[in-house]
Amino acid sequence: MNVITPPHDTTQATPPLPTPVPYPVSPVQGCNFAPNYGDSIVYPQPTTNGDYYVYPQNNQGIQGTYLSWPAGLVLDSKTGAIDLTKSATGERFDVAFVQYGTTDTCMSQLIIAGAAYMDSVYVLSLGDTIAKPYYNANLSVPSPCLTNQGQGCQFDYNNYAKNQGVAINQQTGYIDLTKTMKQSLFGLLPINGTTINTTVYYKLNDNSNYAPQNIPVQIVFYNHKSDLSGGLLSSITSSLVNTLDNLLLSKGPSPRPPLIIIVRDNN
């Protein structure tokens, strides 16, 4: 949850994230006060003055508190207004409303449209060399980029990731991990655990109408798969299983930034 007042100054900094509220033990799905934003998926939009907001279409005049999980949704706790310009996109959220005088956490799910990458281990010696984005918190959604002869989207349009050494296709968002290694993203002699944080700025040819969006990405290097700790592998496997099962909703820590682990050898 993030408490904000819709800004008039477009230069206003993103407010700091507050202490996360624990996920409710017994949420109520589908009750009358569950936040309704008009659709199960909402799209950021380009603006010329200020940020773009969506508002709940129910609960007008009813006092209470709005909450969301996981972290990343910039949500006004009093009005339920969501700042789509500053929220994490390409992600599924639980959004809740608790009416004053009650303890019922009325909850619904909402997808903020956009692109994301999966937490994954890529072993170069096995030919696993391309990290591909998926869209709208759903692996089955077709890429909006395969239109206009491959000119449908704009990834890394400001060359931010490219200037760090990330080899990213600016039409598809595919990250070529072999080329990335050759471009010395981690230096000439990388050591296990070397980590690079970058941000991929992008615009999509979909209902977002090319609204500027971005996703932070963490890229980590290891020489051998056996160098990864059991805990790290277990966490990534769990995240990947949730993604493939189309759960794509963290009830604990935020799944951002996605973690891309590049491994030279499978031993």
Side-chain angles (χ1 to χ4, degrees), residues 2-24:
N2 208 336
V3 180
I4 60 169
T5 299
H8 297 288
D9 180 4
T10 60
T11 64
Q12 178 176 333
T14 303
L17 292 175
T19 302
V21 176
Y23 193 86

Side-chain angles (χ1 to χ4, degrees), residues 1-2 68 70-75 82 84 87-88 93-95 110 112:
M1 178 185 68
N2 208 336
S68 66
L73 198 68
V74 182
L75 173 72
I82 298 173
L84 294 185
S87 292
F93 294 91
D94 271 337
V95 187
L110 184 69
I112 310 300

Side-chain angles (χ1 to χ4, degrees), residues 68-257:
S68 66
W69 298 270
L73 198 68
V74 182
L75 173 72
D76 188 307
S77 65
K78 294 182 179 179
T79 67
I82 298 173
D83 185 341
L84 294 185
T85 303
K86 291 188 172 71
S87 292
T89 54
E91 193 168 343
R92 186 189 306 268
F93 294 91
D94 271 337
V95 187
F97 180 77
V98 181
Q99 184 182 7
Y100 287 168
T102 75
T103 58
D104 288 340
T105 305
C106 293
M107 188 176 294
S108 58
Q109 287 196 351
L110 184 69
I111 295 172
I112 310 300
Y117 295 88
M118 289 188 288
D119 287 357
S120 294
V121 176
Y122 297 85
V123 182
L124 301 185
S125 65
L126 297 179
D128 195 10
T129 63
I130 303 295
K132 300 178 181 180
Y134 63 92
Y135 301 90
N136 301 352
N138 189 335
L139 292 176
S140 66
V141 171
S143 168
C145 305
L146 304 179
T147 57
N148 298 332
Q149 297 181 341
Q151 303 298 314
C153 298
Q154 301 171 31
F155 281 89
D156 197 37
Y157 57 84
N158 58 358
N159 293 322
Y160 183 89
K162 177 183 177 181
N163 290 338
Q164 288 183 275
V166 179
I168 182 169
N169 185 299
Q170 292 185 304
Q171 282 75 50
T172 64
Y174 290 10
I175 300 175
D176 188 319
L177 304 177
T178 300
K179 287 185 178 179
T180 295
M181 288 298 299
K182 290 179 179 179
Q183 293 175 180
S184 301
L185 174 68
F186 303 104
L188 295 177
L189 297 171
I191 61 174
N192 284 337
T194 302
T195 301
I196 299 297
N197 292 293
T198 190
T199 300
V200 176
Y201 294 86
Y202 66 92
K203 300 176 183 179
L204 300 181
N205 181 28
D206 61 7
N207 291 340
S208 66
N209 297 303
Y210 292 99
Q213 301 179 60
N214 69 83
I215 180 170
V217 179
Q218 189 172 75
I219 308 177
V220 184
F221 170 82
Y222 285 91
N223 272 302
H224 307 283
K225 191 171 182 180
S226 58
D227 293 330
L228 279 70
S229 70
L232 178 57
L233 280 174
S234 177
S235 175
I236 292 173
T237 299
S238 176
S239 175
L240 185 59
V241 168
N242 283 346
T243 300
L244 295 176
D245 285 346
N246 200 30
L247 298 179
L248 294 170
L249 180 83
S250 171
K251 297 180 181 179
S254 173
R256 298 296 175 89

